[in-house]
Amino acid sequence: MQEKKAYNPQAIESKIYEICQERGYFEVDRSKQKNFCIMMPPPNVTGVLHIGHAFTFSLQDIITRYKRMDGYATLYQPGMDHAGIATQNIVEKQLLAQGISKESIGREAFIDKVWQWKEESGGKILNQMRKLGISPAWSRLRFTMDDGLKNAVKKAFVQWYEQGLIIQDSYMINWCTHDGALSDIEVEYKQNDGFLYHIKYPIKDSTQSLIVATTRPETFFGDTAVMVNPDDERYTHLVGKSIVLPLLNREIPIIADSHVDMSFGTGCVKVTPAHDMNDYEVGKRHNLPSLVVFDEKGILNDLAGEFAGLERLQAREQIVAKLQSEGFIHAIEPYQNQVGVCYRCGNVIEPYISKQWFVKKEVATKAIERVNNGEAKFFPAQWLNNYNAWMRDLRPWCISRQLWWGHRIPVWYCACGEKVASEIDNPTCPKCHATITTQDNDVLDTWFSSALWAFSTLGWGNTNATHQQNDTTHALYHDEDLQRFYPNSLLITGFDILFFWVARMLLAGESLLGKLPFKDIYLHALVRDENGEKMSKSKGNVIDPLEIIATYGADSVRFTLASLCAQGRDIKLSHAQLELSKNFANKIYNAAQFLLMYAAQLRPQNPYFTDENLTFSTPLGRYMHSRLAFATKQLRHALDNYRFNDATSILHHFLWNEFCDWGIELAKAQKEAIFELGIVFKESLKLLHPFMPFITEDLWHALSGTSLEASQSIMIATFPTDTTQDDYIEQEFTLIKDCITSLRRIKATLELGNAPIQQAFVRINTSIDVAVLRLFVNKLAKVENLTILDSHAANPAECISDVGEVAQTFIALHGIDISAIITRLQSQETKLQKEITKLNAMLENPNFVKNAPQQVLEQNRTALQNAKDKLQKVQNELHTLQRK
């Protein structure tokens, strides 16, 4: 059939989305008894969405639409994250480009600027989400800095503080001289091509020196010891003595500690407790002083002598030059090592002793137990091992950040010396009863508020002020939400934030509400390019979601991402795969046009498919209805187990291979089945809808003779539930299709093309309605006379035969000249045998094999195998023709 027009997604997607959103289809239908809740990982308000976001949102929306159609009250919770460090950096850079520093305008004015940026950036992000066709409850859109979530953060902090799970203390932490304190997982490690500096440390009252190797000579001003291994015989006689620190003439002891690796460098190691994680522990063991040699901005202080006032990294070259001129440099050699950098700004991280706020690791104890008791299930299951590996080595979580943008730490300092953690601002001092006006200057780690996302969005800790309606119909949350939607049903997110976000939500939910926040946790892999490379601007392989949606349509993008989503494997996205999904959409579109064309021929006055409860009475209708039931059963199982790629394979196989390639083809022989096929097709559109919401909506109404503007959407139709198959009719059509395929194979061998066959025979060994068999085989294999042979009948004479899966077919050769075909095949056979002989001789020649490039050898081996395969096919065809 010629298509009337190609499917044009751009013509329908925006209109469909707007109507469905305006009608409130995305919102929670509280009349339903079953509940389903999934939280959107709130994207940062730092720019635009990338393909990884599109992947996550597509999977979430597929499950949400499935559950909504399947009778659940669905809550797909949308939101955005304030992204403290990243967002502050962006706005700072924008101001600096105008010659304005944040300090010059002050904290309040700067925060106003960030809010302006949030509105601008957030609007772009929300538009991108809508283009993808996702269906969250938009009326409940939350932002991690909105009033209600601010209060939830305060409540969580105060609750943990009062339980002794939040403390303030001085620890060695990861410190960015630009962004301040960082947690362990906010530090990225990159290979650094630097130098190893071998410095002479003179031994007191001796002409000798110890050679100490370091990659950070600027920290030597803070050395408080040199240590050697107690088993290192080279230095045991020096333990207890002192060295004189170069340039400063300050004496420090030589100590022994098993931490020293005797094989590294000279076996002598400087100890700088205030500027090295390992040295910090050594310093505590040996009661060494901790000397901080630079400030929070990385500026060297008075301990650095003449270098005071210089930035630590910029001072390195000058310090080394001075050491060299004074004769303290023994050697400098190139050295590769891993250097920690800030995950946001790329600045080199310093270990730094600082007074910060921490959540104690004990907060996670019960969450770990509950996860391992099976109260939350990971998909794929192996992520449980990764979770446990991380949680076993959990350290106190540094939650304070030296920023202006974020949740201000809810701790207040009274003039009388009292310190109060409070959910309300300006609390009354419990000691002197004065109103406290001084609040902690730091803000909380972004991930602190994100850790509460699974329940703060459901009203936990929110004040009545945010129980207001977001529009005239819907509230941001309802009083029943926690009971109804907590724990959430499912979390879908990337594995790369398992520890940033997922683990912290698990510990927060269990600790604060007594239950894990999710029943199922699906962690997907990264989206890479078609070569498996991580996407980056520098490589030029970034795929923009909006660009591919504009080219292929949202449906094709969603279907492609789901089809590539095999659990545990990275997603390799290419334009070729997007093209395949676009072709699939066109195939479905054309199938609908075919159905409508046939329906118009049969029933011009009402060529639509509206009788949803019709009885399937034709053999073809019964067969396709049975295959739909099987696809429904398979698809439900795949979706219930989050096997998205399996689900797309099931849909593609049924709609393309079974319905389009066979159902529509068979309808040419039984046109009266077209209305039954139309109902089957409409039911299959329901199966496809969660993956491709726009084309299914469009075709649903086209087939029904309705419009979305004047009738209900497919998205609130009931997801198919009938999984009952008709075994007898499926057995019949298995035989019918096999006979047609077998006879077409013979015709291809005989080079008959689409010409009719005068006489054919079919041998079957099962019962079948012969009239039905003849109806379809005669029409589709173009057979004028079909004889049915029983299983014991002799082979008919002067025939060529083919053996199918369940049937044997024969075509009478009377009137068909096969001599030219045999001659051609014999010529091909001779040519291929010569080619095989030549290739065999080359590959069996030791000199050729020894000297030929590997690529040439592989090409020849491939050519040999291809020639052998072609020869086998030619010989099979000759055998068939000469067997007559």
Side-chain angles (χ1 to χ4, degrees), residues 94-114:
Q94 290 175 344
L95 290 174
L96 287 172
Q98 303 169 40
I100 303 169
S101 70
K102 71 178 192 296
E103 288 79 12
S104 67
I105 62 173
R107 184 168 191 150
E108 288 189 16
F110 176 76
I111 290 175
D112 286 342
K113 293 286 185 183
V114 183

Side-chain angles (χ1 to χ4, degrees), residues 24-37 39 68 71-78 137-140 142 457-459 467-469 473-486 716:
Y25 288 152
F26 303 165
E27 306 299 330
V28 180
D29 183 350
R30 296 181 181 274
S31 68
K32 307 292 186 183
Q33 298 303 308
K34 299 184 293 182
N35 301 307
F36 176 81
C37 177
M39 293 284 161
R68 186 185 289 124
Y72 287 77
T74 56
L75 170 56
Y76 181 11
Q77 175 65 53
W138 285 120
S139 71
R140 299 174 59 114
R142 303 302 295 268
T457 51
L458 301 177
H467 203 270
Q468 65 202 5
Q469 292 185 333
T473 310
H474 302 285
L476 289 178
Y477 67 92
H478 289 251
D479 292 334
E480 64 172 2
D481 281 354
L482 273 172
Q483 181 180 357
R484 189 163 193 168
F485 295 118
Y486 189 88
I716 58 169

Side-chain angles (χ1 to χ4, degrees), residues 638-680:
L639 286 175
D640 289 341
N641 290 279
Y642 317 124
R643 305 200 67 87
F644 296 96
N645 62 316
D646 291 346
T648 57
S649 295
I650 292 160
L651 289 165
H652 191 281
H653 178 77
F654 175 73
L655 282 162
W656 190 305
N657 302 99
E658 296 202 71
F659 190 88
C660 294
D661 286 357
W662 276 112
I664 286 178
E665 181 77 357
L666 292 165
K668 296 172 182 176
Q670 195 172 46
K671 289 188 178 182
E672 62 272 24
I674 206 71
F675 290 99
E676 294 171 23
L677 292 189
I679 296 303
V680 167

Side-chain angles (χ1 to χ4, degrees), residues 768-882:
I768 189 172
D769 186 325
V770 172
V772 173
L773 177 67
R774 283 202 170 98
L775 172 69
F776 289 103
V777 173
N778 285 10
K779 176 71 175 178
L780 298 181
K782 287 204 169 183
V783 176
E784 295 180 0
N785 297 290
L786 181 67
T787 301
I788 311 299
L789 306 173
D790 63 36
S791 57
H792 303 294
N795 290 349
E798 296 296 314
C799 286
I800 182 172
S801 73
D802 179 84
V803 178
E805 295 292 329
V806 292
Q808 185 175 12
T809 61
F810 304 84
I811 290 181
L813 291 174
H814 179 71
I816 300 174
D817 182 9
I818 62 172
S819 59
I821 300 170
I822 291 174
T823 300
R824 178 178 57 78
L825 289 172
Q826 287 174 334
S827 175
Q828 287 182 357
E829 180 183 35
T830 301
K831 184 179 178 181
L832 285 166
Q833 285 173 334
K834 288 180 179 177
E835 179 70 10
I836 289 168
T837 300
K838 183 182 81 171
L839 288 168
N840 268 328
M842 291 171 64
L843 291 169
E844 290 172 1
N845 183 333
N847 290 329
F848 175 76
V849 173
K850 179 180 177 181
N851 297 315
Q854 188 62 34
Q855 184 180 357
V856 173
L857 289 173
E858 289 303 320
Q859 288 173 348
N860 280 306
R861 290 185 184 118
T862 301
L864 176 61
Q865 187 58 51
N866 290 340
K868 287 180 177 179
D869 293 342
K870 289 178 184 177
L871 178 63
Q872 185 64 52
K873 185 178 178 182
V874 167
Q875 289 175 336
N876 288 343
E877 291 184 14
L878 276 171
H879 178 70
T880 300
L881 291 171
Q882 292 169 340

Side-chain angles (χ1 to χ4, degrees), residues 53-338:
H53 291 116
F55 183 35
T56 300
F57 297 154
S58 294
L59 299 186
Q60 290 175 334
D61 195 59
I62 287 166
I63 289 292
T64 299
R65 287 178 181 268
Y66 164 54
K67 293 293 184 180
R68 186 185 289 124
M69 295 175 73
D70 208 28
Y72 287 77
T74 56
L75 170 56
Y76 181 11
Q77 175 65 53
M80 291 183 289
D81 194 285
H82 66 281
I85 292 175
T87 306
Q88 178 158 324
N89 281 342
I90 286 174
V91 178
E92 272 194 78
K93 288 176 182 176
Q94 290 175 344
L95 290 174
L96 287 172
Q98 303 169 40
I100 303 169
S101 70
K102 71 178 192 296
E103 288 79 12
S104 67
I105 62 173
R107 184 168 191 150
E108 288 189 16
F110 176 76
I111 290 175
D112 286 342
K113 293 286 185 183
V114 183
W115 276 106
Q116 292 172 24
W117 163 258
K118 176 263 174 186
E119 292 302 317
E120 178 186 341
S121 175
K124 291 178 182 177
I125 290 170
L126 296 178
N127 178 58
Q128 285 181 304
M129 291 181 186
R130 291 183 170 95
K131 289 287 186 184
L132 191 61
I134 64 172
S135 58
W138 285 120
S139 71
R140 299 174 59 114
L141 178 68
R142 303 302 295 268
F143 179 54
T144 50
M145 290 278 285
D146 73 29
D147 289 339
L149 300 192
K150 277 184 179 179
N151 200 71
V153 167
K154 293 176 184 177
K155 179 175 180 176
F157 186 99
V158 171
Q159 187 168 323
W160 278 340
Y161 180 84
E162 291 176 348
Q163 292 172 350
L165 291 169
I166 285 182
I167 60 170
Q168 187 183 35
D169 207 344
S170 293
Y171 285 106
M172 175 158 283
I173 60 167
N174 301 296
W175 186 266
C176 173
T177 58
H178 180 266
D179 294 321
L182 299 176
S183 65
D184 290 343
I185 54 177
E186 291 175 313
V187 179
E188 294 180 349
Y189 290 90
K190 295 184 177 179
Q191 184 166 296
N192 175 59
D193 293 322
F195 296 94
L196 191 62
Y197 302 90
H198 299 263
I199 305 173
K200 297 177 184 178
Y201 281 38
I203 300 171
K204 183 184 178 185
D205 301 326
S206 170
T207 58
Q208 295 182 314
S209 298
L210 291 179
I211 306 299
V212 175
T214 181
T215 58
R216 301 163 67 220
E218 64 276 6
T219 64
F220 94 92
F221 303 111
D223 290 358
T224 54
V226 169
M227 63 179 170
V228 296
N229 193 292
D231 297 326
D232 194 334
E233 296 178 355
R234 294 173 294 177
Y235 305 115
T236 51
H237 65 289
L238 294 175
V239 174
K241 295 187 177 183
S242 300
I243 64 100
V244 179
L245 204 60
L247 305 183
L248 301 180
N249 295 320
R250 174 161 52 84
E251 294 182 18
I252 59 176
I254 301 171
I255 64 173
D257 194 285
S258 57
H259 172 73
V260 179
D261 179 0
M262 291 187 289
S263 65
F264 178 77
T266 61
C268 298
V269 181
K270 64 197 285 293
V271 183
T272 319
H275 295 284
D276 184 274
M277 294 289 185
N278 294 319
D279 291 1
Y280 179 67
E281 298 299 326
V282 171
K284 288 196 292 185
R285 285 199 296 272
H286 294 270
N287 296 314
L288 298 173
S290 291
L291 302 180
V292 177
V293 301
F294 51 76
D295 66 13
E296 296 176 349
K297 298 298 182 183
I299 306 301
L300 292 168
N301 59 27
D302 290 342
L303 290 175
E306 64 185 273
F307 303 101
L310 297 177
E311 199 278 332
R312 55 181 177 139
L313 297 180
Q314 293 173 1
R316 181 178 294 175
E317 193 173 325
Q318 296 181 44
I319 294 167
V320 171
K322 180 71 172 183
L323 288 168
Q324 208 156 18
S325 68
E326 297 284 334
F328 291 113
I329 294 293
H330 175 72
I332 300 175
E333 59 184 11
Y335 186 71
Q336 284 189 338
N337 63 336
Q338 294 287 313

Side-chain angles (χ1 to χ4, degrees), residues 37-39 371 374-378 450-451 453-455 485-493 501-507 509-510 515-522:
C37 177
I38 187 168
M39 293 284 161
V371 169
E375 293 182 37
K377 188 177 181 183
F378 281 98
S450 299
W453 188 251
F455 48 91
F485 295 118
Y486 189 88
N488 306 164
S489 311
L490 170 66
L491 175 71
I492 296 179
T493 191
W501 192 43
V502 181
R504 286 169 173 165
M505 282 195 290
L506 288 168
L507 70 84
E510 194 289 325
K515 295 179 182 177
L516 295 177
F518 321 105
K519 296 170 185 174
D520 292 342
I521 302 167
Y522 180 95

